[in-house]
Amino acid sequence: MTRAAFIIGPSRSGTSVLALALGRHPRIEATEELHFYNLLQPAAVADGHGKEWLWARLCAIQDEGRFFEIKSGSLAELPNPASEDLPGAETPLLRGFFDRLARNAGAATVVEQTPMNLYYRDEIRRDFPDALFFLMRRDPRAIIASQKMRWKVGAHGQREIPARDLARVRHSGHPILQLLLLRKTLQEVRLAMGEPDVVPIAYEVLVTDPDRKLAELAERLGHEYDPAMRDVSDGGSSHTPEGGRTGFDTQRLEGWRKSLTATEIWLTERLYRDELVMPATGARPRVGELLGLLFSLPRALAMALYYSAGGYGNLVDAARRRFL
């Protein structure tokens, strides 16, 4: 039976780079962000679609990189998979999909990397009773800075990110909006840390000591460490252009100092002092800038909601999990 692990945590906390590292092990297959529990499955339930519909979209995301088309609803109808490709009625659909990935890759373990699965741990446990959760943690200032600069990922990587999604991340990256969203996320992180199947991972430790940390995680999955795991690319950085480099770059740990203003640093340190990994800076706010952030917040929130419409299978349920 395929071993399953789910990388969870705040968005921009290092979930993608951990998936890249684990996926470089010859016996571990890392998936794309499948968004099964927060998008695909709720959409299937709401619209009355069956497992053929779900399977086809899982394949389109994993094999063809068509997540943005699926998320926006612009994807043309996909052909139904052959019945022999689908798991039996007794096997949860995503588990069957993981088995398919493992067979095709010659892997024993499949690792999924959707950060939003932080809010769907109970649903995952019903489908994967023996799963592990790798919980990423990161200094809140680095998370806020990465969210603020996230729109630059497309420019740095020259990726084809749809204009609607680019607009969404630019508006949702408003620092105060992200600080508000982070409150519930960190509450969920604290809850998850006390659960026996959750393995907490500090991004800062992963970057400064990747061999030791990746060896620990490989062992938890039943594998020996492979040094190739540390040779990840620099793709996906919101602070620096992607230059084709490999390896963990400790200079990125300080990137938030350049990306955030003194006011934004002050706000983050005031609200999340207990979550800081690096020492507080003692930054002071600028009154004019603080007022500007507050004044611009309502528009940023409205535009973020507008551009997020359709991005969740069940927007009401997603909002409840993220805010309440």
Side-chain angles (χ1 to χ4, degrees):
M1 181 181 294
T2 304
R3 184 69 189 270
F6 293 82
I7 302 173
I8 59 176
S11 178
R12 312 307 295 178
S13 63
T15 54
S16 295
V17 74
L18 177 59
L20 285 171
L22 293 174
R24 291 185 61 81
H25 193 288
R27 297 288 286 159
I28 300 174
E29 177 73 0
T31 74
E32 300 291 324
E33 290 187 17
L34 297 176
H35 293 271
F36 182 79
Y37 292 97
N38 66 298
L39 175 61
L40 296 183
Q41 187 166 258
V45 171
D47 296 334
H49 297 300
K51 59 183 180 181
E52 295 83 2
W53 185 92
L54 278 168
W55 189 271
R57 277 147 185 80
L58 285 170
C59 291
I61 293 172
Q62 180 64 26
D63 301 339
E64 304 174 36
R66 304 179 73 180
F67 169 69
F68 285 120
E69 294 175 72
I70 292 173
K71 180 180 178 182
S72 66
S74 63
L75 180 67
E77 192 61 33
L78 295 169
N80 284 333
S83 58
E84 59 266 24
D85 292 337
L86 298 173
E90 72 284 354
T91 303
L93 187 76
L94 191 60
R95 179 179 281 277
F97 188 72
F98 281 12
D99 290 339
R100 174 239 189 201
L101 293 178
R103 284 194 306 271
N104 292 345
T109 302
V110 172
V111 175
E112 208 279 350
Q113 58 166 314
T114 305
M116 277 283 289
N117 282 333
L118 172 66
Y119 303 96
Y120 296 86
R121 303 189 303 283
D122 290 340
E123 289 85 347
I124 292 170
R125 289 181 179 116
R126 284 197 288 268
D127 291 344
F128 299 87
D130 56 347
L132 280 177
F133 295 91
F134 291 154
L135 174 63
M136 291 300 300
R137 303 176 63 207
R138 191 178 186 182
D139 192 296
R141 293 163 297 188
I143 293 175
I144 297 301
S146 191
Q147 291 285 12
K148 176 185 175 183
M149 308 301 290
R150 187 178 181 182
W151 64 274
K152 289 189 174 182
V153 169
H156 287 162
Q158 299 179 353
R159 302 173 184 173
E160 292 185 6
I161 297 179
R164 186 180 184 89
D165 274 273
L166 191 57
R168 176 183 61 82
V169 297
R170 291 195 76 155
H171 290 292
S172 65
H174 189 288
I176 292 183
L177 177 55
Q178 285 301 322
L179 285 167
L180 295 174
L181 287 170
L182 193 58
R183 180 189 66 85
K184 178 60 187 296
T185 300
L186 292 180
Q187 287 179 359
E188 283 294 322
V189 167
R190 287 189 287 270
L191 285 173
M193 286 182 63
E195 296 165 355
D197 53 0
V198 173
V199 181
I201 304 160
Y203 174 81
E204 290 78 9
V205 174
L206 176 64
V207 171
T208 55
D209 194 2
D211 289 297
R212 179 180 65 83
K213 180 51 65 175
L214 291 172
E216 290 175 2
L217 300 180
E219 183 178 3
R220 291 297 300 265
L221 295 173
H223 305 296
E224 293 185 0
Y225 175 59
D226 188 321
M229 297 168 69
R230 66 170 176 259
D231 295 330
V232 294
S233 76
D234 59 0
S237 173
S238 54
H239 295 297
T240 58
E242 298 167 10
R245 295 179 296 271
T246 59
F248 289 89
D249 183 2
T250 57
Q251 292 183 356
R252 290 186 179 177
L253 299 179
E254 301 283 345
W256 56 267
R257 296 181 185 272
K258 296 180 179 179
S259 301
L260 296 180
T261 67
T263 301
E264 293 161 352
I265 293 173
W266 174 79
L267 280 169
T268 309
E269 292 180 351
R270 290 274 294 184
L271 292 173
Y272 300 111
R273 179 172 295 275
D274 292 341
E275 307 290 341
L276 301 181
V277 176
M278 299 180 182
T281 64
R284 297 294 181 184
R286 297 183 176 91
V287 175
E289 182 185 351
L290 181 59
L291 291 175
L293 287 171
L294 292 171
F295 181 77
S296 60
L297 176 61
R299 182 178 183 276
L301 175 58
M303 297 302 290
L305 289 172
Y306 171 76
Y307 286 114
S308 294
Y312 298 94
N314 185 327
L315 183 59
V316 174
D317 179 66
R320 175 183 64 81
R321 293 174 189 261
R322 291 293 307 273
F323 289 101
L324 302 179

